[in-house]
Amino acid sequence: MPEPQSGLDRRMFLRATAVSGAALTVGGPAIPSASATPSASAAPGGFPNYTYVRTLLTPSKLKYNPTGEIIFPTIRGVYDKLANPLGRYYLYYAPHDAPGGICLAYGNSLEGPFTEYPSNPIVSNRWDPHYSVSHVSSPHVLWKEDVKEFWLYFHGENTTTRLARSKDGIHFTYDKVVLSTSMMPAGTTETSYARVFQYDLPSRGAHYVMLFMTNNTTDHRDIGWGWSADGRNWTFAQTPLVRHSDVGAVNVGGPHLLTRGGSAFVVYNKDKASGGDIMITEVGKDFSLRKHLGVFYNSRSSAPENGRAAAPSFGTDGGVPYMIYEAGERLAGSIAMARG
């Protein structure tokens, strides 16, 4: 994207006092929400404007680095869930290309630094007797309060999203396949990059929503969605929640759910050739609305973004909102942090 004037990102820094009512939770109720009172410098939907601060993880500096690339961060606060955590925050990420591998880093602040877990990957591409695949990737971790467990959703292959469960956020037990192309319309070729959120849809008897990337024989990626009463057994909409063509993109992916003012919003990224920005669409309290609000976060042309920001995860630290995201060319970037 073009550089803003004066060398500054066009998204202004939003002072913490302007979002003092925000509740962008990490690892608790999993859906960030913003203050009910919009700021003059708010992003679409009244959410904070996020400004890039620094890179948190770079592949070349990691001990486990089989492919020279990492993607899809998920940040979770564990200080109120574990008696003796490695740090206040756990940051999950993964290489994508074979063999991939679900990885963990930990730190005491969302500002960093984060320390690589020495025994990565914590989940590999072979887990006997459950699967043996070319790669596993795209970790999303949900804190399941009713059972006091961390639930890890991840893909491998791109056709299959799986669930594993853990008491400590490090050592996982395999559970089951929760999504595959066989559950979607004929011609579906990918169902991956899933994130799961606690969200009530009373008319569907659901307490959880899944957002994911779907592809078909046209090779244009869209945002799919599903709902569940328990987070394990799912029903999936057979038409996309957000189509690539809705926002003038070749592909869209990396979806995350936000809430504000009694409504739900989906943020997601465009491919770099289509602008490389993170976009936002309001879907309404019951997911029946499709109001495309435009750019949520404008990717910068300078490093580390180089025209692409993607796969955001959100949290707060000391009352300040943060976005942890992919920065840079797909499969050639880093994990970065922006502050609201």
Side-chain angles (χ1 to χ4, degrees), residues 147-178:
V147 292
K148 306 296 183 184
E149 290 180 349
F150 297 91
W151 285 23
L152 166 66
Y153 299 85
F154 63 103
H155 81 249
E157 308 288 353
N158 285 0
T159 59
T160 306
T161 295
R162 306 173 186 275
L163 170 63
R165 301 163 62 169
S166 171
K167 290 293 187 182
D168 65 4
I170 301 172
H171 304 94
F172 284 86
T173 300
Y174 187 80
D175 191 339
K176 60 181 291 187
V177 170
V178 293

Side-chain angles (χ1 to χ4, degrees), residues 240-300:
L241 182 67
V242 179
R243 300 178 186 274
H244 66 282
S245 55
D246 294 341
V247 292
V250 175
N251 297 299
V252 291
H256 197 291
L257 187 65
L258 304 177
T259 62
R260 181 183 179 277
S263 190
F265 301 76
V266 178
V267 294
Y268 51 92
N269 58 271
K270 286 183 173 183
D271 60 285
K272 182 176 178 178
S274 302
D277 296 326
I278 298 175
M279 312 298 290
I280 181 169
T281 294
E282 184 176 5
V283 296
K285 185 175 182 179
D286 63 356
F287 278 58
S288 63
L289 182 65
R290 301 293 183 271
K291 186 176 181 180
H292 306 298
L293 300 179
V295 176
F296 178 85
Y297 179 83
N298 179 41
S299 61
R300 308 173 310 155

